[in-house]
Amino acid sequence: MSEKDQNTEAQILNAARNVFIRKGYHGARMQEIANEAGMNKALVHYYFRSKEKLFRQIFMDVFARFFPAIGNVLTNEEMPVMKKIEFFVHSYIDLLAENSFIASFIIMEINRDPEETLNLMQEITGDMRGQYFAGFKASLDKAIENEEVAPVDFRQLIINTISMCVFPFIGRPLVQFMMFNNDNDAFEAFLENRKHEVVQFINAALKPANSK
Amino acid sequence: MSEKDQNTEAQILNAARNVFIRKGYHGARMQEIANEAGMNKALVHYYFRSKEKLFRQIFMDVFARFFPAIGNVLTNEEMPVMKKIEFFVHSYIDLLAENSFIASFIIMEINRDPEETLNLMQEITGDMRGQYFAGFKASLDKAIENEEVAPVDFRQLIINTISMCVFPFIGRPLVQFMMFNNDNDAFEAFLENRKHEVVQFINAALKPANSK
DNA sequence: CATAATTTTGACCATATGGTTAAACCAATT
DNA sequence: AATTGGTTTAACCATATGGTCAAAATTATG
């Protein structure tokens, strides 16, 4: 594989990533990818046989970068639960803010073809799926026992947390329109605040009943 | 318009609704809609000139049924804030459970073509958009002043609430796979619980600092 | 420098898809 | 029964799209 090879390949991957993320699988056109990469359509097929093969690679790249953020935080045994959550919320919202279409893209694709998409995801998560959460559950339950946090089901808590982080990005056009008169800057500011607000919200919700 | 007219038209609308919701605009095929309606493709065009016109009508129908659930609850001045939220959470999760693809559909389309989709939505919401939330803000702020609930920005609260209701449905395949080993029944049970858990979670989060 | 190997391109193909049309069908009216 | 008006269909059209191929351009190799 020559230098030029890697270069063109990278150009294609880059263009494909943009187009697929913007338009989704059905909306994306091989021609548009070729144009955006500044080359002939046949060349795209020369490097990646078919649209589907190209898409798979893109999806896995995107998801592979997106997924570990969850795992790394939940896995760290040392950190107290509430710190874990704080760290998670901050890094997740930052990640999404910098890659604003990733969340919609993943959601879009998993709803388009759940079976296939789950297969791709499994190749990345492997068997680790359950482990991530088991670790979190353990340390959460311990904290509950020590009455550091109020009793709560770990799944509900995780989903509450992820929901509050992810939804504003997925539903951004809608939310921005409905609640911010479509004012971009106002919404950006809102997102910046949100990191702290969400943490505070969860923190308050988890305050044990007998604390002051 | 004859009886038969209304019947075929309804059949088309019904089929189109199913197909569009399952596949989204790009994924949907006029032929598939015709098949599902049990008729010729040309007939679909005879009733609704183009795919786009048909789609618009479907989207507006779907959104029109989906949207008021927000407004009605937030508008009611009498109800105490926490009751409003409880009512909202219950009715929203029920609505989504019964129309499981609606949320994904709306999200999908608004990300596909925000401009156009917002236009369609505006035809339904009219100028009422702001009003809904203004009413909620007023009664929330009053409750805060009376120290019935802890201080919180009304937008953050609304988005927190909607996030926690909607996200599990939008991300269902992913969540079900990651946290429930793809077990359908387990996830359904989880959703049933969730109505109460979310209400309780918000309730705890909004408990004023000085209450026991 | 000549030859081989690889990369890139323009032209092309088969198929799918949204959309049209003319004719067939059918129900009501005279 | 014939006419009329709307409904439904089969066949068709133009275009878009994923994909292929042979030739040209470029690069590596002797």
Side-chain angles (χ1 to χ4, degrees):
Chain A
M1 227 182 240
S2 75
E3 219 177 291
K4 207 160 199 178
D5 251 4
Q6 292 207 4
N7 199 32
T8 20
E9 196 174 324
Q11 274 175 279
I12 295 174
L13 283 172
N14 202 45
R17 191 173 159 279
N18 289 338
V19 175
F20 277 130
I21 284 181
R22 276 206 312 268
K23 306 281 185 77
Y25 181 82
H26 279 305
R29 295 291 117 97
M30 293 303 269
Q31 186 60 57
E32 193 180 347
I33 292 173
N35 289 345
E36 189 142 334
M39 66 186 63
N40 191 292
K41 183 176 60 133
L43 196 52
V44 179
H45 277 90
Y46 175 75
Y47 278 88
F48 307 83
R49 307 276 303 201
S50 68
K51 183 181 185 182
E52 198 161 319
K53 285 210 174 70
L54 178 55
F55 176 79
R56 267 194 215 126
Q57 182 143 351
I58 297 296
F59 183 86
M60 291 190 60
D61 287 356
V62 168
F63 188 70
R65 188 152 46 118
F66 186 69
F67 178 70
I70 303 180
N72 290 343
V73 176
L74 298 181
T75 304
N76 184 340
E77 280 287 342
E78 324 276 309
M79 222 182 264
V81 175
M82 208 38 233
K83 263 271 171 272
K84 269 188 202 178
I85 291 177
E86 182 175 344
F87 194 75
F88 175 84
V89 170
H90 277 257
S91 52
Y92 228 61
I93 288 184
D94 281 342
L95 177 73
L96 288 168
E98 280 159 30
N99 306 274
S100 44
F101 292 112
I102 286 187
S104 316
F105 172 67
I106 291 175
I107 292 294
M108 205 176 189
E109 293 310 322
I110 208 170
N111 280 295
R112 179 179 66 84
D113 188 347
E115 191 118 357
E116 170 68 6
T117 309
L118 288 178
N119 281 339
L120 295 183
M121 288 182 359
Q122 197 152 26
E123 280 184 45
I124 289 165
T125 64
D127 290 346
M128 278 171 285
R129 243 178 316 149
Q131 262 53 50
Y132 282 138
F133 301 120
F136 181 76
K137 175 175 162 52
S139 66
L140 174 66
D141 287 348
K142 206 168 67 189
I144 292 173
E145 202 144 329
N146 297 345
E147 297 190 350
E148 292 156 26
V149 310
V152 60
D153 174 58
F154 84 103
R155 278 188 264 243
Q156 301 279 0
L157 175 58
I158 289 177
I159 291 178
N160 287 348
T161 306
I162 296 179
S163 298
M164 289 191 282
C165 292
V166 175
F167 180 79
F169 293 94
I170 296 174
R172 173 167 187 168
L174 207 159
V175 173
Q176 185 170 309
F177 172 73
M178 297 275 245
M179 304 194 66
F180 294 88
N181 252 317
N182 228 1
D183 177 342
N184 237 298
D185 296 337
F187 191 76
E188 300 271 352
F190 172 80
L191 282 180
E192 189 52 38
N193 272 350
R194 190 155 175 77
K195 280 185 281 193
H196 307 97
E197 292 272 354
V198 167
V199 171
Q200 201 180 310
F201 193 83
I202 297 173
N203 197 41
L206 292 187
K207 197 167 284 176
N210 60 345
S211 80
K212 79 135 198 307
Chain B
M1 227 183 241
S2 74
E3 219 178 288
K4 208 161 198 177
D5 253 0
Q6 291 207 3
N7 198 32
T8 10
E9 197 175 322
Q11 273 175 280
I12 295 174
L13 283 172
N14 203 44
R17 192 173 160 279
N18 289 339
V19 175
F20 276 130
I21 285 182
R22 275 205 312 268
K23 305 283 186 77
Y25 181 81
H26 278 306
R29 295 290 118 97
M30 293 302 270
Q31 186 61 57
E32 193 180 347
I33 292 173
N35 289 345
E36 188 142 334
M39 66 185 64
N40 191 290
K41 183 176 61 135
L43 196 52
V44 179
H45 277 90
Y46 175 73
Y47 278 89
F48 306 83
R49 306 277 304 200
S50 68
K51 183 182 185 181
E52 198 160 319
K53 285 210 174 70
L54 178 55
F55 176 80
R56 268 194 214 126
Q57 182 143 351
I58 296 297
F59 183 86
M60 292 190 60
D61 286 356
V62 169
F63 188 69
R65 188 151 46 116
F66 186 69
F67 178 70
I70 304 180
N72 290 342
V73 175
L74 298 180
T75 303
N76 185 340
E77 279 288 340
E78 324 278 307
M79 222 181 263
V81 174
M82 209 36 234
K83 261 274 171 274
K84 269 187 200 178
I85 291 177
E86 181 175 345
F87 194 76
F88 174 84
V89 169
H90 277 258
S91 52
Y92 228 61
I93 289 185
D94 281 342
L95 178 72
L96 289 168
E98 279 160 30
N99 305 274
S100 45
F101 292 112
I102 286 187
S104 316
F105 173 66
I106 291 176
I107 292 293
M108 204 177 191
E109 292 310 322
I110 208 170
N111 280 294
R112 179 179 67 84
D113 187 349
E115 190 118 357
E116 171 68 7
T117 310
L118 288 178
N119 281 339
L120 294 183
M121 287 182 0
Q122 197 153 26
E123 280 183 46
I124 289 166
T125 65
D127 290 345
M128 279 172 285
R129 245 179 316 149
Q131 263 53 50
Y132 281 138
F133 301 119
F136 181 76
K137 175 175 162 51
S139 66
L140 175 66
D141 287 347
K142 206 168 67 189
I144 292 173
E145 200 144 332
N146 296 344
E147 299 190 349
E148 292 157 25
V149 309
V152 61
D153 175 58
F154 84 105
R155 278 187 265 242
Q156 301 278 1
L157 176 58
I158 289 176
I159 291 177
N160 287 349
T161 307
I162 295 179
S163 297
M164 289 191 282
C165 292
V166 175
F167 180 79
F169 292 94
I170 296 174
R172 172 166 187 167
L174 207 158
V175 173
Q176 185 170 309
F177 172 74
M178 297 274 246
M179 305 194 64
F180 295 89
N181 252 317
N182 227 1
D183 177 342
N184 238 298
D185 296 338
F187 191 75
E188 299 272 350
F190 172 81
L191 281 180
E192 189 53 35
N193 273 348
R194 189 154 175 79
K195 280 186 280 192
H196 307 96
E197 292 272 355
V198 168
V199 170
Q200 202 180 308
F201 194 83
I202 298 173
N203 197 40
L206 292 187
K207 198 167 283 176
N210 60 345
S211 82
K212 79 134 193 301

